[in-house]
Amino acid sequence: LFETFNDKMLVVYLFVLKYNDFINCRKTYGTEEALTMLEAHLFTNICDCPGSTVTSLATAWLRSASATSQTIRKLIQKGLVTRVNSKEDAKVFFLHPTNRGQLVSDMHKRYDVLDIIKTMKSLRHVLTEEEIDTMFKGLRAFGELLKRQ
């Protein structure tokens, strides 16, 4: 029984390992600024919702406030984000993109759109549209399962 289950789950394990490498690899997204996928997407959230806080971003990305804070510090050091302390609570600060940061975010969005189109075209060579929809449905269900554990 273990071998049967393990063979099926090995597909998931290997995918997770490959995808983990993929999201942690630094890319330039068409700019000179090399970012990981998480940095780029956290950063895009800041650009799309100026005034976000570390707590709101950590919640949205299912990360700890500490880990999110480390990522934000890197974005600040790169000159992509600024922080403004709250007048009501000194522990809270609001995040805003710099002008350069907004440009990097826009380039990342263009890169992502083209990359997603390319990925979907590649998937359509081996999967039907219905199978792709089922794959995404399965990933959402698996993600929900993991959140409950």
Side-chain angles (χ1 to χ4, degrees), residues 31-49:
T31 69
E32 76 283 355
E33 203 59 62
L35 301 170
T36 66
M37 191 184 291
L38 180 61
E39 289 170 341
H41 284 272
L42 268 173
F43 176 53
T44 296
N45 279 145
I46 294 166
C47 292
D48 291 347
C49 302

Side-chain angles (χ1 to χ4, degrees), residues 1 24 29 57 71 80 96 99 113 126 141:
L1 198 56
N24 288 311
Y29 299 104
L57 292 167
T71 303
L80 302 174
H96 298 274
N99 289 337
V113 167
V126 292

Side-chain angles (χ1 to χ4, degrees), residues 27-139:
K27 297 177 191 73
T28 58
Y29 299 104
T31 69
E32 76 283 355
E33 203 59 62
L35 301 170
T36 66
M37 191 184 291
L38 180 61
E39 289 170 341
H41 284 272
L42 268 173
F43 176 53
T44 296
N45 279 145
I46 294 166
C47 292
D48 291 347
C49 302
S52 296
T53 63
V54 168
T55 302
S56 67
L57 292 167
T59 300
W61 285 94
L62 308 174
R63 312 285 295 168
S64 69
S66 175
T68 304
S69 209
Q70 287 177 6
T71 303
I72 298 302
R73 273 195 292 281
K74 290 176 188 173
L75 295 172
I76 290 170
Q77 289 170 351
K78 291 176 182 282
L80 302 174
V81 173
T82 61
R83 60 184 247 177
V84 178
N85 286 8
S86 168
K87 293 175 182 156
E88 290 82 37
D89 185 347
K91 294 178 186 174
V92 174
F93 55 89
F94 303 102
L95 303 165
H96 298 274
T98 61
N99 289 337
R100 183 170 151 271
Q102 187 64 56
L103 178 65
V104 170
S105 176
D106 290 345
M107 293 295 289
H108 166 253
K109 286 179 181 181
R110 281 188 205 101
Y111 177 96
D112 257 12
V113 167
L114 294 173
D115 191 56
I116 290 167
I117 290 169
K118 187 173 97 179
T119 300
M120 295 306 285
K121 281 182 178 180
S122 293
L123 284 173
R124 284 190 189 105
H125 289 292
V126 292
L127 300 172
T128 66
E129 197 69 40
E130 185 177 290
E131 289 169 328
I132 292 170
D133 289 344
T134 300
M135 176 191 73
F136 283 117
K137 183 178 178 182
L139 288 171

